[in-house]
Amino acid sequence: MNPQRWIHYFKYTCRTFGSGVVQPFNASAFYVHSNCPFILTRFTHNRVKCDVTVRRGGNGLLVQVEIIINKVRTVLQNGSILVEEKSVSLPYDHTYQHIFRYGLYTRLRSSLLPLSVTWHDVPGGIDSLRVDLEQELNTDMMGLCGKHGQQLISESMLSEDTCQMRDPISAINQECREFFSYTLDCLQARTPFYMQLCEENIYGYELNEHISCAFFKEIVLQCGNSSYAWNIWRYVTRCAEPTCPGDLVYVEQGAAFVPSCSSPNPRFSIQDMTSSCVCLKGEVLNDHLDGFQCVVESSCPCVFAGRSYLTRDIRSTKCQSCVCDGGRWLCSENFCPPRCLIEGQFVTTFDGKQYAVPGKCAYVALQDLDWTIKIEFSEKEASLKAVTLQLYQETFTFEHNKVKSGDEEITELHQSDQVLVFWQSSMYVQVHTSFGLKIQVQVSPEVQLYITSPRNHTGLCGNSNNDTTDDFTTSSGIIENSAQPFALSWSLGNCGVNIPSSCINTDNEIFADDKCSVLNNPAGIFATCHGHIPPDQYHTACVQRTCNCGGNLQQCLCVSLGSYAKACRSLGVELGDWRKSTNCTLKCQKNQEFFYDIRACNRTCRSLSGRDPRCGLEDAPVEGCGCPEGTHLNQGNTCTPKTECFCHHHGVATPPGPVVMDGRQCFLSQNISNYKLSNTLLCFVSGCRNGKVCVHCSEYLVNTAQKTCDSLSKPLGANTTCESGCYCPHDQYEDHHGNCVSRDNCTCVYSGKVFSAGQHVKTNCKTCFCGSGQWHCKDEPCPGTCQVYGNGHYQTFDSKWYRFDGHCQYTLVEDYCADGNGSFSLRVESVPCCDEALTCSRSIVLDLQGEVTLTLSDMRVTRRLGKGWTLQEDPLYTTHTVGLYIIISVPTPLLQKQLLSQHNLQQ
């Protein structure tokens, strides 16, 4: 690549350098000899005020620069940077501005204005400073950078009693004359003008090399690297090359952002070549260590959770193994089976999609042909009251501190040909089936559900196909766009929306905000897990569950904290005694003790009487109460030595010694169901309408729950339900309009709209047809979509939503992989409102093949072309406006991308 193409100055640039040379935006340069403060530039753009003032010291260098943008004051003085009177280190990121190293220079870039200020520090002050505008501003501009700079000198001066303004003085300077003898090919007729500026600049500062060298360098940069002076000017002027730290070497024109282990192939635009300290070719900066050490990329260390790893080091968790390879982690696939979590109202599907159910109802969590898992919420709180597993002919019910098989309570374990149910600890019950379904139910202090399933299935938990886009598949077979209609489709019977999505109790909210913050504390008990599982979602759930707790606030808090602790423990991350640190310790009954790592194998007296079926299972340790090492759980939930354990044989428990106890005492309990009797007998008085007939359940038993089109796709309850009233005749069903129709003519619902039989909708890369009250869908290939809006709301191509609102510019998508070759890069940056807590818009930068750079900002598209490139020869893109949207299409076969950006085009 010809290096000439990288020589580029902003079209709108104002510079001041040396001892007082000023090059305005659109006028000839001039010299100001004064130690008074001056307005360099002052203007207002889009209601944002900008004010840059400068003052030189007795040595001619800038000794103070003040930059005020939208009332944020930044001062450059004595080599320090003060923002709002506080010293800052680099890089510094603020909602309104960013300050960072830019080659040898330091740059302040505004997020509110198309403006940047760049300066070069030397001992004693600043020898050069420039203000760059990315576009010409249609606004009156004051200061030395204005269109009529010399006429504004007096108006730009901020007078002080101690400052002086002198007329420029010049004298013949041999150094200036020798330098300009080598620039005739570049400056030509302008040589006498610049020679006078040079002599005015040096006069009185002959012994300060920074004054003269800054001037010579600016002239050479304007001439470019093809000029005769480019390679010899330092020799002629005896201006020494700057020294670089560590292994870095100086180049007149190099990368402003040095390739490093963290970013070996930084995507920089054609403006980002400048005087810089860089590594030798083939090396990158090891930015994970101090000392500016350059290494080959293959020797770069990797970083995880704040810790460095050398190449070929291995980092493993319970579910994944990663090896460090030249600064990048090469990780295996997740070999832990996917798991569905139902914790309070919050559900995490097998594929990782997270949502909240809308109502305290009964739902189908998961079902297959031969089994169904149902959950039932408490009527008072958004927590589970019971979990029911229907497996072939067996029914298991899990409630608070209780498990039953049919009507018989399971106190230790239950085993049949198809299933093994056993207590792991005082808190957890485990279910293992013969076909690979595993269920873990937390029964204390609240009921929570964890499911691992080997194959496709349906329900609240989704289908476990590694595709989150179809997790909201309803019971009628169509993919909904939101959680509420999806969850309601899997409810058993009618379900009201009665779980609040925000806090409804101020006192609880204060408690929740304070106590749940321990999850995010970077120095807290949970910090060791932050690198493995981001705590944000768990923190949000903790606040909401604790805030809307209807009972013991501390218990609700501890249950939420326990959910994060359990997720960490599933990856093998040890948190220490988090319960003690958060005041969540549990009391154990009798002489049992609390453990974080209990296993069920051989922990009870019964397990000593024969082979324990729990010992051959993959049984991860759980927390809860149990017996300490050397003792076993006996009858009465007491821990006894092995010698005092009862012997068990064919259901008979025999104490040690000659005394024999026949049988054991069992306590049976019954479920009492409450049924509501609706006022359905009115049909016998006033008659039925719309073709419906009266049904009297005492005379003729009908499953009235299956008499609507909506019910055809709803999961069935355990028992036949009959309520007397008006229903459609035999073989007909009530559609969503209240009319009786045949099954073939049943209507369907999608996103709250009713569709007739035969109608179709397109959604989530599928075309779905309504038939017999259900949706029948066919896959259709479609491109993925990534979107970002508001205060950092992102949706990935795989429909994963998350929130991140950083102040920097971020790569949204690119195809530049490890080898650095690619065709496009798309970067975004938030543009804040005057209220820095809000995002008003975004700046979008699209780079195409390194030849064209498009910037969408301030309600318009600007472009920059690489040197020698013309769009007429090979158009890389097209742009057009549709309503409030600007659409950029890239038809090149290499890309096949489309960028859709919404801009408010109304002023």
Side-chain angles (χ1 to χ4, degrees):
M1 184 178 293
N2 184 358
Q4 172 66 26
R5 64 171 300 173
W6 295 107
I7 295 295
H8 180 92
Y9 275 93
F10 279 79
K11 186 176 181 180
Y12 309 103
T13 300
C14 173
R15 304 178 187 84
T16 180
F17 49 90
S19 64
V21 181
V22 178
Q23 173 71 64
F25 286 114
N26 291 303
S28 298
F30 57 89
Y31 181 74
V32 179
H33 190 192
S34 175
N35 62 350
C36 296
F38 281 86
I39 300 171
L40 190 62
T41 184
R42 177 181 290 171
F43 61 89
T44 301
H45 177 68
N46 288 344
R47 296 181 296 178
V48 177
K49 294 182 179 180
C50 175
D51 195 337
V52 181
T53 61
V54 297
R55 183 172 65 84
R56 295 184 181 275
N59 61 359
L61 299 173
L62 293 171
V63 293
Q64 186 180 63
V65 178
E66 183 179 80
I67 306 166
I68 302 177
I69 301 176
N70 201 43
K71 300 180 182 180
V72 176
R73 181 172 179 262
T74 303
V75 177
L76 316 178
Q77 191 172 15
N78 298 325
S80 299
I81 304 172
L82 303 177
V83 179
E84 296 294 282
E85 300 182 353
K86 295 182 179 180
S87 179
V88 300
S89 58
L90 302 184
Y92 171 76
D93 294 303
H94 184 275
T95 307
Y96 292 157
Q97 65 187 29
H98 313 284
I99 308 175
F100 49 90
R101 300 291 183 197
Y102 188 81
L104 283 187
Y105 302 89
T106 306
R107 172 168 286 187
L108 180 151
R109 185 169 59 83
S110 172
S111 300
L112 295 172
L113 297 171
L115 170 142
S116 62
V117 181
T118 308
W119 64 92
H120 182 235
D121 287 300
V122 295
I126 295 172
D127 67 351
S128 67
L129 180 143
R130 78 175 194 248
V131 178
D132 297 313
L133 296 176
E134 297 177 18
Q135 64 191 58
E136 187 173 18
L137 305 181
N138 297 321
T139 181
D140 292 331
M141 187 175 294
M142 297 176 58
L144 300 177
C145 288
K147 295 180 180 179
H148 308 287
Q150 288 180 301
Q151 300 176 17
L152 294 176
I153 291 177
S154 59
E155 299 176 15
S156 302
M157 186 173 67
L158 303 173
S159 61
E160 288 185 354
D161 294 339
T162 58
C163 74
Q164 294 179 336
M165 177 76 181
R166 299 186 180 93
D167 291 331
I169 303 174
S170 65
I172 295 176
N173 184 283
Q174 203 58 39
E175 191 176 12
C176 288
R177 299 195 171 232
E178 183 180 4
F179 170 78
F180 282 106
S181 68
Y182 296 99
T183 61
L184 295 175
D185 64 323
C186 167
L187 300 180
Q188 298 178 358
R190 293 175 295 166
T191 298
F193 169 75
Y194 281 107
M195 190 175 298
Q196 181 180 347
L197 273 181
C198 180
E199 291 174 343
E200 291 174 345
N201 173 68
I202 290 181
Y203 186 85
Y205 303 104
E206 290 83 359
L207 299 180
N208 190 337
E209 65 174 353
H210 299 300
I211 296 295
S212 57
C213 290
F215 181 91
F216 295 141
K217 181 173 182 177
E218 287 293 333
I219 299 301
V220 170
L221 287 175
Q222 291 186 48
C223 287
N225 63 0
S226 62
S227 66
Y228 182 70
W230 179 265
N231 293 317
I232 66 171
W233 75 273
R234 288 193 180 275
Y235 173 77
V236 171
T237 61
R238 290 175 293 279
C239 292
E241 288 187 348
T243 57
C244 294
D247 297 338
L248 300 177
V249 295
Y250 175 77
V251 290
E252 293 284 4
Q253 195 175 53
F257 307 107
V258 182
S260 64
C261 287
S262 296
S263 181
N265 297 298
R267 297 299 308 152
F268 45 81
S269 65
I270 56 180
Q271 294 86 13
D272 294 330
M273 300 294 284
T274 186
S275 300
S276 184
C277 289
V278 300
C279 290
L280 295 175
K281 186 176 181 180
E283 295 183 341
V284 296
L285 179 66
N286 185 357
D287 54 346
H288 300 310
L289 295 176
D290 296 331
F292 297 95
Q293 179 186 7
C294 293
V295 298
V296 294
E297 187 178 344
S298 60
S299 298
C300 278
C302 301
V303 175
F304 182 80
R307 177 184 168 189
S308 291
Y309 296 79
L310 298 177
T311 294
R312 292 186 293 278
D313 279 356
I314 297 175
R315 172 181 60 84
S316 298
T317 66
K318 184 180 177 181
C319 299
Q320 193 177 50
S321 179
C322 301
V323 60
C324 177
D325 180 39
R328 296 179 178 86
W329 286 111
L330 301 181
C331 296
S332 67
E333 292 290 332
N334 189 326
F335 40 75
C336 283
R339 191 170 60 159
C340 173
L341 290 67
I342 302 180
E343 298 170 321
Q345 72 266 42
F346 296 99
V347 180
T348 302
T349 67
F350 289 108
D351 295 328
K353 195 160 191 168
Q354 297 172 318
Y355 67 95
V357 296
K360 292 175 280 192
C361 314
Y363 301 90
V364 170
L366 205 64
Q367 68 177 13
D368 207 340
L369 294 176
D370 300 317
W371 53 268
T372 302
I373 303 173
K374 302 175 184 179
I375 59 173
E376 180 183 355
F377 277 83
S378 167
E379 297 176 358
K380 296 180 180 180
E381 299 182 14
S383 60
L384 293 185
K385 175 184 177 182
V387 175
T388 302
L389 168 63
Q390 291 178 312
L391 177 63
Y392 299 107
Q393 303 302 316
E394 295 183 279
T395 300
F396 300 93
T397 306
F398 307 82
E399 297 174 333
H400 182 255
N401 284 328
K402 185 185 297 184
V403 184
K404 292 191 297 183
S405 172
D407 291 331
E408 182 179 352
E409 184 172 354
I410 301 173
T411 57
E412 185 176 340
L413 65 80
H414 168 91
Q415 188 173 18
S416 66
D417 292 338
Q418 302 294 337
V419 66
L420 173 65
V421 182
F422 60 92
W423 287 79
Q424 291 179 286
S425 73
S426 62
M427 292 177 60
Y428 290 94
V429 178
Q430 186 90 350
V431 179
H432 281 253
T433 66
S434 57
F435 51 87
L437 173 67
K438 298 179 183 179
I439 305 171
Q440 187 182 66
V441 185
Q442 179 181 317
V443 294
S444 175
E446 284 188 14
V447 177
Q448 302 195 124
L449 178 61
Y450 307 89
I451 308 171
T452 303
S453 184
R455 57 175 181 264
N456 290 339
H457 24 58
T458 55
L460 294 181
C461 287
N463 55 14
S464 187
N465 64 351
N466 293 319
D467 181 7
T468 60
T469 61
D470 62 359
D471 276 1
F472 283 171
T473 302
T474 65
S475 58
S476 63
I478 198 168
I479 303 173
E480 274 289 356
N481 294 316
S482 60
Q484 181 170 313
F486 158 71
L488 292 178
S489 77
W490 290 106
S491 64
L492 298 169
N494 295 325
C495 180
V497 179
N498 54 16
I499 296 180
S501 58
S502 59
C503 194
I504 57 176
N505 185 305
T506 304
D507 292 336
N508 286 8
E509 184 174 18
I510 295 173
F511 176 87
D513 284 337
D514 177 43
K515 300 299 183 182
C516 291
S517 63
V518 68
L519 287 172
N520 288 330
N521 186 351
I525 189 71
F526 297 103
T528 55
C529 191
H530 289 177
H532 300 271
I533 302 176
D536 300 352
Q537 295 279 1
Y538 288 90
H539 176 264
T540 300
C542 176
V543 171
Q544 193 165 336
R545 292 183 69 180
T546 306
C547 188
N548 294 319
C549 181
N552 187 324
L553 277 180
Q554 184 65 28
Q555 177 175 300
C556 292
L557 168 70
C558 293
V559 169
S560 298
L561 299 182
S563 295
Y564 184 67
K566 180 176 176 61
C568 297
R569 197 166 54 247
S570 70
L571 295 181
V573 180
E574 298 297 331
L575 296 175
D577 195 355
W578 70 267
R579 288 190 174 274
K580 182 178 180 181
S581 298
T582 57
N583 195 28
C584 290
T585 54
L586 296 177
K587 294 183 179 180
C588 297
Q589 59 178 325
K590 298 187 178 178
N591 61 343
Q592 296 184 44
E593 297 180 9
F594 178 83
F595 299 92
Y596 284 108
D597 55 352
I598 293 180
R599 292 184 181 272
C601 174
N602 289 330
R603 297 302 290 258
T604 65
C605 285
R606 178 175 176 175
S607 66
L608 301 176
S609 297
R611 189 187 69 85
D612 190 345
R614 294 164 288 195
C615 291
L617 304 174
E618 292 185 12
D619 178 23
V622 296
E623 63 176 345
C625 296
C627 293
E629 198 68 33
T631 63
H632 295 75
L633 192 66
N634 207 339
Q635 291 177 319
N637 289 323
T638 59
C639 298
T640 61
K642 182 177 181 179
T643 55
E644 298 180 13
C645 277
F646 280 44
C647 296
H648 295 260
H649 182 68
H650 295 299
V652 178
T654 305
V659 180
V660 176
M661 176 187 293
D662 291 327
R664 59 175 177 171
Q665 189 175 5
C666 299
F667 297 92
L668 302 177
S669 62
Q670 285 185 323
N671 282 329
I672 301 175
S673 301
N674 296 319
Y675 296 94
K676 289 185 178 179
L677 184 62
S678 59
N679 188 15
T680 56
L681 298 181
L682 289 176
C683 72
F684 296 104
V685 178
S686 58
C688 298
R689 301 177 181 179
N690 296 337
K692 297 177 183 176
V693 297
C694 277
V695 172
H696 200 308
C697 293
S698 61
E699 298 178 357
Y700 181 65
L701 189 64
V702 176
N703 190 356
T704 56
Q706 289 283 299
K707 292 298 292 178
T708 64
C709 289
D710 200 42
S711 68
L712 294 176
S713 62
K714 297 272 283 186
L716 293 174
N719 303 311
T720 299
T721 301
C722 184
E723 291 188 13
S724 300
C726 292
Y727 297 93
C728 291
H730 180 64
D731 286 340
Q732 290 193 357
Y733 302 86
E734 182 182 342
D735 66 11
H736 294 88
H737 301 294
N739 302 316
C740 291
V741 297
S742 66
R743 182 167 186 152
D744 291 340
N745 291 322
C746 263
T747 52
C748 306
V749 173
Y750 172 65
S751 290
K753 296 182 179 180
V754 178
F755 293 82
S756 300
Q759 288 187 306
H760 73 277
V761 295
K762 291 188 176 182
T763 174
N764 293 86
C765 305
K766 297 177 185 290
T767 298
C768 300
F769 292 86
C770 175
S772 301
Q774 291 191 322
W775 289 104
H776 305 276
C777 301
K778 293 183 178 179
D779 291 333
E780 289 189 352
C782 64
T785 299
C786 173
Q787 60 177 318
V788 52
Y789 69 91
N791 275 21
H793 297 279
Y794 291 82
Q795 184 187 31
T796 68
F797 287 113
D798 293 327
S799 296
K800 172 81 173 177
W801 283 98
Y802 65 95
R803 189 175 186 277
F804 174 75
D805 196 23
H807 300 317
C808 304
Q809 184 182 84
Y810 301 94
T811 298
L812 192 65
V813 60
E814 67 176 9
D815 62 353
Y816 291 87
C817 299
D819 58 2
N821 296 319
S823 56
F824 79 101
S825 173
L826 183 64
R827 305 184 296 277
V828 294
E829 180 178 5
S830 298
V831 177
C833 308
C834 290
D835 178 356
E836 63 179 278
L838 301 176
T839 296
C840 275
S841 62
R842 273 184 170 76
S843 173
I844 303 170
V845 179
L846 175 62
D847 182 80
L848 299 175
Q849 297 182 352
E851 305 290 354
V852 180
T853 300
L854 303 177
T855 302
L856 287 75
S857 181
D858 204 13
M859 296 183 291
R860 62 177 176 177
V861 181
T862 58
R863 77 183 181 197
R864 290 190 293 270
L865 303 180
K867 189 173 181 63
W869 182 268
T870 59
L871 291 178
Q872 288 75 15
E873 296 176 0
D874 187 9
L876 290 178
Y877 72 96
T878 59
T879 178
H880 59 283
T881 301
V882 178
L884 297 180
Y885 292 89
I886 297 174
I887 299 177
I888 299 176
S889 299
V890 184
T892 308
L894 291 175
L895 300 180
Q896 294 297 330
K897 310 290 179 189
Q898 188 176 72
L899 172 67
L900 181 67
S901 176
Q902 182 178 23
H903 281 255
N904 187 351
L905 301 181
Q906 300 176 352
Q907 297 291 339

